[in-house]
Amino acid sequence: MSDAGASTALSSPVFQHFLVACSVAVIIAPFSYYMGIGARMLKLPQITGYLVSGIVCGPYLLGILSTESVVDLNIIEGACLSIIGLAAGAELHLSELSRSKKQVLGITFGISAVTWLFCYGALDYTSGLLPKLGELDAPHVVAVASLGATLMMARSPASAIAVLKEMDGKGPFSSLVMAVVVVKDVVVIIAYALNMEFIRVSILPSTTGSPHLLGMVLPLMSVMLSITVGLCGGLLLSMMLRPHSLLAAILPSMSPAATFKVKQLVILLVSTLIFNMAHYFDAEPLLACVTMGLFMVNRRHERADKEKEELHMMVSQIMSLTNVAFFGLAGASLKVLAMKDMFGAALLVFVVRLAAIFIGSWLGCYSTSTSAEYRRLFWMSMITQAGVAMGLARLTGTRFPDWGPHFQTYMMAIIMLNLMVGPPLFRQALVRVGEAKALMLPIKGSGVVAAQQLQLGSIIIKENGAGVSSSEGGLVHQHGHGLGGEDSSSKSDRDLDQ
């Protein structure tokens, strides 16, 4: 009986579709990988190559991946998103943030608030001019504008790390940038979760007599549930990776390389499990994974530093593989013809976002008594978008099948513009503040203030003679000369260029 059941399951159309989709994905994965390398050679982020490869192989150009195949591979996409969320949470070190929280939180609030307000207005205006989105009723337009404005607040930590490595960026400005970027990433994911719940309450018909009460309570309950699921996942993962766990009893018989790979597999499986559990309970999966990463790197025990370093290394290597799959699928799911029609509206929102970030950065720096030079230049470091913004856009595309794919394509068009313009502006800002050490420029500022600001955020630079240890963006590096050096982990560092 069981054999018959297994045979029926294997011959089902769903399984056959999934098997074919996986086979095709395995075939085109090398193409996506080398497209990423080609993009890097052109001084573009690697994910640009992954996206282009997905567009080329997708249903709207060559048709190697059909629309059904892209849908069938959603389970792989969930695993990729879980790692993106875990990595984002693992970047936020609360003990390091507390040293300069007033400055970091003030600038983060200024940029986030002004960006949301400006972009909400721009998206509310442009949505009515676009195909499909222009046909939505007023509540849906509000949902689109609010979600889009939330995504426009995001800034890619990994692309910031890539520019800092390229320019050998080191100093108070670089440290402040990374601290704000990491905090803003977490704020965006929490705001996205709240948006999703408000949409669920305001758009879906209410079956109770107190919709206003539900509208206030359900979003908060969903966020709390997401955090609870993430904490449970962090506790489970820490128990499985600790020295005296059942897994540790098996690992001594393996080589160090095999042990490392088994631990990576455990991280991938647990994060995917937590992502799907949150989805099952109608919580926010990405927020749950962010909470799990945050829990893992902020636990206090005697092996905390060593475990953080090991976790960062493992997650960064996993991301080098999952990014190929995720951004390739994101490219394949884009409606290419619709993107062409959306370019004018995307360009308008892009310009509005630039203005909003400039104003928000200036206000945030001014309110926290940050130097006049930083007030002029800080906005140039906040433009680039990549992994988290694209992940949230893709998540929206799958959750709302009627208007979500068009929303995703619209957001992708704006994000691509930010991805192209952001890195050169950040490089220019580093040069102008004198922190581009790759160009042999001295760090501006000295004395106690500079020494204190060097401790900001996710980049902690400790100079001990010739050695420098820095922890940034979810990856711990040991360099001989700061952020720009390479060691045995240089391959993983290059894969972080998102």
Side-chain angles (χ1 to χ4, degrees), residues 214-226:
L214 282 176
M216 292 184 290
V217 174
L218 283 182
L220 297 177
M221 289 180 61
S222 176
V223 169
M224 294 304 298
L225 179 59
S226 304

Side-chain angles (χ1 to χ4, degrees), residues 194-206:
L194 290 171
N195 266 277
M196 294 301 291
E197 290 306 312
F198 281 124
I199 289 171
R200 187 179 304 178
V201 172
S202 61
I203 291 180
L204 298 180
S206 176

Side-chain angles (χ1 to χ4, degrees), residues 392-466:
L392 295 175
R394 178 64 181 144
L395 211 53
T396 306
T398 57
R399 285 192 177 184
F400 301 100
D402 49 348
W403 55 268
H406 292 270
F407 173 84
Q408 177 193 341
T409 301
Y410 187 27
M411 291 297 103
M412 287 291 193
I414 303 169
I415 292 168
M416 287 297 291
L417 290 172
N418 293 321
L419 187 61
M420 297 298 178
V421 173
L425 285 175
F426 189 21
R427 293 186 190 103
Q428 183 62 26
L430 289 173
V431 171
R432 291 175 66 177
V433 298
E435 293 187 13
K437 290 178 66 62
L439 302 181
M440 304 302 290
L441 296 175
I443 296 178
K444 292 187 178 181
S446 59
V448 177
V449 174
Q452 289 176 340
Q453 289 187 335
L454 276 170
Q455 301 298 321
L456 286 170
S458 290
I459 304 179
I460 299 299
I461 302 175
K462 299 176 182 177
E463 297 191 272
N464 297 310

Side-chain angles (χ1 to χ4, degrees), residues 11 48 64 134 143 148 156 209-210 221 244 308-309 321 381 409 417:
S11 60
T48 306
I64 298 175
S156 169
S210 54
M221 289 180 61
H244 304 295
K308 275 192 277 189
E309 179 177 350
L321 300 176
S381 66
T409 301
L417 290 172

Side-chain angles (χ1 to χ4, degrees), residues 333-347:
S333 65
L334 289 181
K335 297 181 178 296
V336 179
L337 296 179
M339 181 176 280
K340 182 183 67 174
D341 298 333
M342 294 175 175
F343 181 76
L347 187 60

Side-chain angles (χ1 to χ4, degrees), residues 44-334:
L44 295 172
Q46 281 183 275
I47 62 169
T48 306
Y50 303 154
L51 285 167
V52 171
S53 69
I55 292 172
V56 171
C57 297
Y60 302 102
L61 287 183
L62 296 183
I64 298 175
L65 269 176
S66 65
T67 304
E68 292 78 11
S69 297
V70 174
V71 174
D72 292 336
L73 288 170
N74 276 346
I75 186 172
I76 295 178
E77 194 170 62
C80 298
L81 279 170
S82 71
I83 293 297
I84 289 176
L86 179 67
E91 290 167 355
L92 187 55
H93 300 264
L94 299 179
S95 61
E96 297 162 11
L97 175 63
S98 64
R99 297 169 185 166
S100 54
K101 59 184 177 182
K102 179 181 177 182
Q103 188 179 30
V104 173
L105 295 179
I107 296 174
T108 300
F109 177 78
I111 297 173
S112 300
V114 177
T115 301
W116 193 92
L117 288 171
F118 277 48
C119 290
Y120 178 88
L123 290 164
D124 184 59
Y125 172 74
T126 57
S127 295
L129 308 176
L130 300 175
K132 189 64 178 180
L133 297 180
E135 303 169 7
L136 300 176
D137 57 17
H140 280 84
V141 171
V142 170
V144 167
S146 181
L147 273 177
T150 301
L151 265 62
M152 291 300 99
M153 289 160 49
R155 201 287 188 213
S156 169
S159 63
I161 294 169
V163 172
L164 287 174
K165 285 186 169 300
E166 177 190 344
M167 304 298 290
D168 200 0
K170 175 184 170 184
F173 182 80
S174 302
S175 300
L176 180 59
V177 166
M178 281 306 303
V180 172
V181 165
V182 169
V183 173
K184 197 146 67 77
D185 230 22
V186 177
V187 169
V188 166
I189 292 172
I190 294 174
Y192 178 84
L194 290 171
N195 266 277
M196 294 301 291
E197 290 306 312
F198 281 124
I199 289 171
R200 187 179 304 178
V201 172
S202 61
I203 291 180
L204 298 180
S206 176
T207 58
T208 69
S210 54
H212 295 294
L213 180 61
L214 282 176
M216 292 184 290
V217 174
L218 283 182
L220 297 177
M221 289 180 61
S222 176
V223 169
M224 294 304 298
L225 179 59
S226 304
I227 292 173
T228 302
V229 172
L231 290 174
C232 292
L235 186 61
L236 174 63
L237 187 57
S238 63
M239 290 174 61
M240 295 187 71
L241 296 179
R242 68 185 181 184
H244 304 295
S245 66
L246 178 62
L247 180 64
I250 303 172
L251 295 180
S253 61
M254 301 181 182
S255 65
T259 299
F260 192 79
K261 295 298 182 185
V262 170
K263 288 184 176 181
Q264 285 182 312
L265 179 61
V266 169
I267 290 172
L268 179 60
L269 291 176
V270 172
S271 61
T272 304
L273 173 66
I274 294 302
F275 186 92
N276 285 287
M277 279 184 61
H279 190 271
Y280 176 80
F281 289 119
D282 283 334
E284 179 48 52
L286 209 57
L287 178 57
C289 293
V290 168
T291 304
M292 181 168 63
L294 195 150
F295 174 85
M296 289 294 295
V297 299
N298 288 285
R299 292 187 309 133
R300 295 183 180 180
H301 56 92
E302 58 183 13
R303 299 186 69 255
D305 292 338
K306 184 176 180 180
E307 286 189 5
K308 275 192 277 189
E309 179 177 350
E310 188 178 46
L311 179 69
H312 290 155
M313 290 295 294
M314 289 188 288
V315 170
S316 68
Q317 289 191 14
I318 296 171
M319 286 188 70
S320 68
L321 300 176
T322 56
N323 283 347
V324 177
F326 175 76
F327 292 108
L329 286 171
S333 65
L334 289 181

